[in-house]
């Protein structure tokens, strides 16, 4: 099994995870800024949880994957600082409560930390690949959102993800239902995460 | 009663001095240490650092605050830089960095990983601080008497550098902030210091 087999095996679900009217709105510029801010805050909560989950994956990883996972963690900590800087500049309320949809995703990440390494790496690859592909659909981004779209589709990120994909393909060579299951859960949560932006804070 | 990193270091000065006076450590500064012994040490230390990196990662995964994420990430990067130094030695002296661990190495790795897996971050940090603080101490103590011709000069220069001191201080800062059960912290700190001394002794005896 390869990463591309996971995507082609659940093409519809993958499409839903990587295409959304939210992203179209970012591209066209007609997305409600309040919805964007709500999404951004939830993405920060997710980023905090992902940083910790990646640390658990690193602790579990074979030495050959240390480098790519360390780079991922370094990027996540830099990403957190970037969010916090954005919050200082604008009206972003990073302390807003975690939305139930984000909560479910974060809890799933936590659950993967008890899984074997191959499942963890599959989950990490899937969520990063979904994120990049989704943001690429919003390129170049309406002026108000361009900086964000460029940030989440930058070349260094794409290059790192290619490296992660090599590692994922290595573990998927012996992959089975557990890895496929993780891929599907990630795709579902990614899809729901976009939709969450339209929901109010208290739903 | 809470206990600070400074208290713990003071209480373990006997072991720190024993490490400093150990013929292995003195031989690094004088350059008189037999290369066979240093080769064993480098290989075992590379093995150990892998467990050390995993320990930091586990501490990061469960650290209670945002600041810890940044500090522990930097410490983790520091371990990888240290491994880079080992790769340099390995190339120069033809050392395999995937050795069978000696008993002292296994004991230290197992101690770190069980602590990092089962105990709160403060306790994990207490188990990991001695290594950082001890190496900063050894580097700084050895630097003035370093023989410039010593083939191990780089080792002393690395650990006496301000970067290592800064990392050790940041780790001690986390220890002070997170704390934990004082008796447990003291036990873990002492145990790690004992394992440090045993590590030098094992490299000394091995060849």
């Amino acid at each position: 099994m390869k990463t591309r087999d996971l995507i082609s095996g659940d093409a519809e679900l993958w499409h839903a995870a990587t295409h959304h009217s939210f992203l179209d709105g970012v591209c066209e510029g007609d997305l409600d800024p309040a919805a964007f801010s709500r999404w951004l805050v939830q993405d920060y909560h997710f980023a905090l949880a992902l940083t910790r989950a990646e640390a658990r994956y690193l602790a579990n990883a074979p030495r050959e994957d240390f480098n790519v996972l360390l780079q991922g963690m370094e990027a996540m900590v830099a990403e957190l600082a970037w969010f916090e800087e954005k919050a200082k500049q604008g009206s972003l309320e990073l302390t807003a409560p975690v939305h139930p949809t984000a909560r479910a995703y974060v809890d799933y990440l936590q659950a993967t930390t008890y899984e074997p390494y191959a499942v963890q790496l599959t989950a990490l690859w899937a969520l990063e690949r979904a994120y990049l592909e989704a943001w690429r659909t919003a390129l170049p981004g309406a002026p108000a959102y361009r900086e964000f779209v460029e940030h989440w589709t930058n070349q260094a990120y794409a290059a790192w993800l290619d490296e992660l994909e090599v590692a994922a393909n290595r573990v998927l060579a012996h992959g089975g239902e557990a890895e496929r299951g993780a891929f599907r859960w990630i795709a579902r949560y990614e899809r729901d995460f976009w939709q969450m932006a339209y929901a109010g804070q208290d739903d | 009663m809470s206990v600070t990193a400074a208290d713990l270091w003071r209480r373990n000065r006997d072991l720190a001095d024993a490490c400093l006076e150990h013929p292995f450590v003195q031989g690094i500064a004088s350059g008189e240490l037999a290369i066979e012994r240093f080769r064993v040490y480098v290989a075992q230390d590379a093995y150990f650092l892998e467990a050390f990196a995993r320990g930091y990662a586990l501490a990061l995964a469960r650290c209670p605050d945002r600041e810890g994420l940044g500090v522990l990430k930097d410490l983790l990067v520091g371990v990888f830089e240290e491994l880079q130094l080992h790769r340099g030695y390995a190339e120069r002296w033809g050392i395999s960095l995937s050795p069978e661990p000696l008993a002292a190495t296994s004991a230290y790795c197992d101690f770190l990983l069980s602590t990092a897996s089962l105990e709160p971050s403060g306790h994990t940090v207490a188990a990991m601080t001695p290594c950082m603080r001890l190496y900063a101490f050894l580097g700084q103590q050895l630097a003035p008497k370093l023989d410039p011709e010593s083939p191990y000069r780089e080792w002393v220069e690395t650990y006496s550098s301000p970067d290592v001191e800064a990392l050790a201080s940041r780790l001690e800062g986390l220890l002070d902030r997170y704390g934990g059960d004082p008796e447990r912290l003291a036990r873990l700190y002492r145990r790690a210091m004992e394992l440090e001394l045993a590590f030098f002794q094992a490299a000394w005896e091995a060849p």
Side-chain angles (χ1 to χ4, degrees):
Chain A
M1 185 159 57
K2 294 250 183 202
T3 51
R4 61 166 177 271
D5 302 321
L6 291 174
I7 291 174
S8 62
D10 282 285
E12 223 172 288
L13 181 58
W14 185 252
H15 189 270
T18 53
H19 296 75
H20 198 275
S21 55
F22 176 88
L23 295 157
D24 298 339
V26 167
C27 185
E28 304 296 332
D30 55 5
L31 178 72
D32 176 7
F36 187 75
S37 291
R38 274 201 301 274
W39 180 88
L40 208 51
V41 169
Q42 297 304 318
D43 203 41
Y44 177 73
H45 287 308
F46 177 78
L48 275 172
L50 179 58
T51 307
R52 293 175 190 278
E54 271 193 70
R56 295 287 293 261
Y57 302 164
L58 176 73
N60 209 12
R63 196 147 127 188
E64 60 189 311
D65 289 349
F66 270 17
N67 239 351
V68 71
L69 291 171
L70 182 71
Q71 282 173 39
M73 278 191 45
E74 281 192 88
M76 284 311 301
V77 173
E79 182 78 0
L80 293 175
W82 182 80
F83 271 109
E84 287 151 8
E85 193 50 42
K86 288 277 155 242
K88 258 189 241 162
Q89 290 166 8
S91 56
L92 218 50
E93 272 296 333
L94 291 182
T95 51
V98 183
H99 189 278
T101 300
R103 178 79 213 189
Y105 197 176
V106 161
D107 287 347
Y108 176 68
L109 276 188
Q110 186 73 27
T112 63
T113 66
Y114 294 91
E115 294 284 347
Y117 178 67
V119 174
Q120 297 174 342
L121 190 59
T122 303
L124 179 63
W125 162 78
L127 72 88
E128 297 287 6
R129 177 55 72 193
Y131 201 74
L132 179 64
E133 284 198 13
W135 281 109
R136 279 179 170 167
T137 70
L139 276 168
Y145 299 118
R146 185 154 300 168
E147 180 200 349
F148 294 92
V149 179
E150 283 173 357
H151 180 73
W152 290 317
T153 55
N154 77 70
Q155 203 40 53
Y157 175 41
W160 171 76
L161 184 49
D162 285 344
E163 214 182 307
L164 189 70
E165 194 158 296
V166 171
N169 276 319
R170 195 193 67 236
V171 300
L172 281 169
H174 311 285
E177 280 315 299
E179 288 74 16
R180 190 176 291 284
F183 173 80
R184 287 192 181 129
W185 276 116
I186 292 292
R188 288 187 195 107
Y189 283 123
E190 285 292 325
R191 175 195 63 197
D192 297 349
F193 214 85
W194 302 120
Q195 188 59 33
M196 171 188 63
Y198 295 115
Q201 202 58 256
D202 304 311
D203 88 310
Chain B
M1 268 296 280
S2 63
V3 61
T4 67
D7 295 334
L8 290 169
W9 174 247
R10 242 189 330 270
R11 284 191 222 162
N12 285 280
R13 265 309 283 270
D14 55 336
L15 288 171
D17 289 335
C19 288
L20 178 63
E21 288 153 17
H22 196 282
F24 182 96
V25 174
Q26 288 296 318
I28 285 180
S30 68
E32 286 163 14
L33 179 68
I35 184 66
E36 293 74 30
R37 288 181 164 138
F38 192 70
R39 288 163 65 110
V40 169
Y41 165 81
V42 167
Q44 295 296 314
D45 202 40
Y47 185 97
F48 167 78
L49 285 174
E50 190 182 316
F52 207 66
R54 293 181 201 280
Y56 273 143
L58 289 170
L60 190 157
R62 58 208 312 196
C63 75
D65 56 8
R66 165 70 181 86
E67 196 184 335
L69 297 179
V71 174
L72 287 161
K73 184 269 293 173
D74 288 343
L75 287 158
L76 198 49
V77 170
V79 177
F80 280 76
E81 284 167 359
E82 220 173 322
L83 275 170
Q84 202 54 46
L85 182 74
H86 285 62
R87 271 191 282 274
Y89 295 140
E91 275 169 29
R92 201 176 320 156
W93 286 308
I95 305 167
S96 158
L97 293 185
S98 308
E100 278 300 310
L102 295 172
T105 310
S106 281
Y108 202 171
C109 293
D110 294 348
F111 161 76
L112 279 180
L113 291 176
S114 70
T115 305
S117 301
L118 300 172
E119 305 208 26
S121 292
H123 291 193
T124 300
V125 168
M128 300 187 75
T129 300
C131 177
M132 291 298 297
R133 174 44 65 206
L134 177 67
Y135 272 63
F137 168 75
L138 294 177
Q140 290 164 25
Q141 294 291 314
L142 294 179
K145 41 183 157 174
L146 173 65
D147 183 331
E149 298 298 309
S150 168
Y152 315 117
R153 205 183 67 214
E154 201 180 347
W155 190 96
V156 177
E157 286 168 352
T158 300
Y159 294 114
S160 60
S161 76
D163 291 352
V164 169
E165 173 61 33
L167 283 178
S169 297
R170 290 180 78 194
L171 188 57
E172 287 171 332
L174 281 191
L175 176 51
D176 288 344
R177 208 165 72 244
Y178 295 161
D181 172 44
E183 277 179 32
R184 185 70 187 146
L185 294 175
R187 184 73 208 106
L188 291 166
Y189 198 103
R190 180 101 191 144
R191 179 70 186 139
M193 289 294 289
E194 289 166 355
L195 288 162
E196 286 291 340
L197 181 59
F199 199 92
F200 288 128
Q201 183 61 29
W204 181 255
E205 287 172 359

